[in-house]
Amino acid sequence: MSGHSKWANIKHKKGKADAARGKITTKIGREITIAVRMGGPDPVGNMRLKLALAKAKANNIPKDNIKRAIAKGTGETGGANYEEITYEGYGPAGVAIMLDVLTDSRNRAAADVRHVFTKHGGNMGETGSVGWMFKRKGVFTIDREEGMQGKSEDDIMMIALDAGAEDVKSNDDSLEILTDPDDFDAVEKALADNGIETVMSEITMVPDTMVKLEGEDAEKVRKTIEMFEDLDDVQEVYTNADLPDEEDDEEE
């Protein structure tokens, strides 16, 4: 099955500018702190911390920032008490949007999220209004040019499925492996043992079906996602919108 990966759809803006880089550093640090508070400072046995540290490494977060975030989590240094909230709703063109939020002010977060939904003609829904369209999955993304290490698509599919993966999807420039969260470690180990490199590995929310958008609708949804990502309290944005790559938009 071909198409555009979640990485291309949702992570398109990461690292574009210094301001964006600063926001990413803050958000990942916050995630590390929460992960440590919930499961302790050892990533062995703390999957959430393990994934947060992997994300920090992928985004070149300085080690000092990571140490400070861990210290906040263990209580060695002071810090705000963050609350985890999931917001759901419908965006432009009726696409489903879910947001993972970490905030020290529920009222501020709700107002900010509602403002973005409303500004772009969407509406914030009740809990569960779109959540039923998504499933929690482990996702590994392998770059076709650099990550396959001379192995064929069939080779990687067999390695992944034998380790417990549920599905392997073929995209234009990548392979995407989906797993049950409980099988994430086993699949990760199998890939590493076979020298297969991933550009992304995470446990995330994956839509059951995608809604392909183009033109004005795609641009509206892209702008909505970017506005959500710009909110300090929003950690992750999930959508069932299948958007064209930004390069494709520019060519048009």
Side-chain angles (χ1 to χ4, degrees), residues 5 56 63 65 68 71 82 90 93 98 114 126 144 172 223 225 240 244-245:
S5 68
K63 290 183 179 179
N65 293 65
R68 284 196 295 271
Y82 293 107
Y90 290 92
M98 288 183 63
R114 190 181 302 278
E126 299 294 328
R144 282 187 177 277
D172 296 336
K223 286 181 178 178
I225 292 172
N240 65 348
D245 293 337

Side-chain angles (χ1 to χ4, degrees), residues 21 28 32 51-62 66:
R21 172 65 57 189
I28 293 176
I32 290 171
L51 293 173
L53 292 175
K55 191 181 294 184
K57 181 179 179 181
N59 284 275
N60 298 314
I61 305 301
I66 295 173

Side-chain angles (χ1 to χ4, degrees), residues 86-120:
T86 298
Y87 291 111
E88 307 175 29
Y90 290 92
V95 301
I97 296 176
M98 288 183 63
L99 309 167
D100 282 345
V101 169
L102 283 176
T103 183
D104 57 358
S105 172
R106 177 183 282 263
N107 290 338
R108 181 190 67 231
D112 288 347
V113 168
R114 190 181 302 278
H115 171 73
V116 175
F117 271 118
T118 303
K119 182 178 178 65
H120 291 278

Side-chain angles (χ1 to χ4, degrees), residues 151-166:
K151 292 181 172 58
S152 71
E153 189 172 317
D154 287 342
D155 290 337
I156 293 176
M157 182 178 294
M158 290 306 301
I159 291 168
L161 294 177
D162 286 347
E166 295 179 345

Side-chain angles (χ1 to χ4, degrees), residues 187-208:
V187 174
E188 182 180 53
K189 183 177 186 303
L191 295 176
D193 288 347
N194 284 275
I196 300 167
E197 300 178 3
T198 61
V199 294
M200 182 186 72
S201 57
E202 64 178 350
I203 294 177
T204 186
M205 300 300 290
V206 176
D208 293 329

Side-chain angles (χ1 to χ4, degrees), residues 202-222:
E202 64 178 350
I203 294 177
T204 186
M205 300 300 290
V206 176
D208 293 329
T209 58
M210 302 290 286
V211 177
K212 188 172 182 61
L213 298 178
E214 295 179 351
E216 186 177 345
D217 283 341
E219 186 59 25
K220 285 181 179 178
V221 171
R222 197 189 305 281

